[in-house]
Amino acid sequence: MQNMKAKELAAWLNDETSPSPLLLDVREPWEYQLCHIDGSRTMPMNTVPANVVQLERDMPIVCICHHGMRSMQVALFLEQQGFTDVINLTGGVDAWAAQVDSGMPTY
């Protein structure tokens, strides 16, 4: 599993020459509704095992949560399931709000 900082992810998403990753937000629905990174897909952590078949194995996946702990657990789980390009967003949406999008609500 790789780790990526919020500013690194922002640069990647803004780079039109790089293939876009799947932004997998593993927080609870109420958290996602409060704030999320544009283009992210919600899949609460407890639903990932049942829905892992919906994820593309050949696409980079960036796992996102509030501070980076739940997403790290999901990233490790995905690696155990054979996914090879899995990245954890260090600091989660909290870091994204502080470093990239100051208009994003925080909690």
Side-chain angles (χ1 to χ4, degrees):
M1 172 188 60
Q2 303 169 51
N3 286 291
M4 181 173 283
K5 295 179 181 177
K7 287 187 177 186
E8 294 171 323
L9 177 58
W12 183 7
L13 296 175
N14 288 324
D15 182 356
E16 295 177 9
T17 64
S18 295
S20 296
L22 167 63
L23 303 176
L24 187 66
D25 193 317
V26 301
R27 297 174 299 146
E28 293 300 310
W30 71 267
E31 293 175 287
Y32 184 84
Q33 289 173 357
L34 182 63
C35 64
H36 59 270
I37 299 172
D38 287 340
S40 62
R41 175 179 171 184
T42 181
M43 186 180 289
M45 180 180 183
N46 65 338
T47 69
V48 171
N51 293 300
V52 73
V53 296
Q54 297 176 14
L55 301 175
E56 294 182 42
R57 291 184 180 273
D58 60 349
M59 175 179 240
I61 299 175
V62 178
C63 297
I64 303 165
C65 69
H66 189 201
H67 287 116
M69 298 309 294
R70 285 177 281 178
S71 56
M72 183 174 21
Q73 292 177 322
V74 170
L76 289 170
F77 171 78
L78 291 176
E79 283 189 335
Q80 292 170 349
Q81 302 307 305
F83 289 80
T84 58
D85 198 357
V86 183
I87 302 154
N88 179 49
L89 178 60
T90 304
V93 293
D94 192 61
W96 184 269
Q99 301 169 16
V100 177
D101 183 1
S102 61
M104 176 183 271
T106 57
Y107 62 101

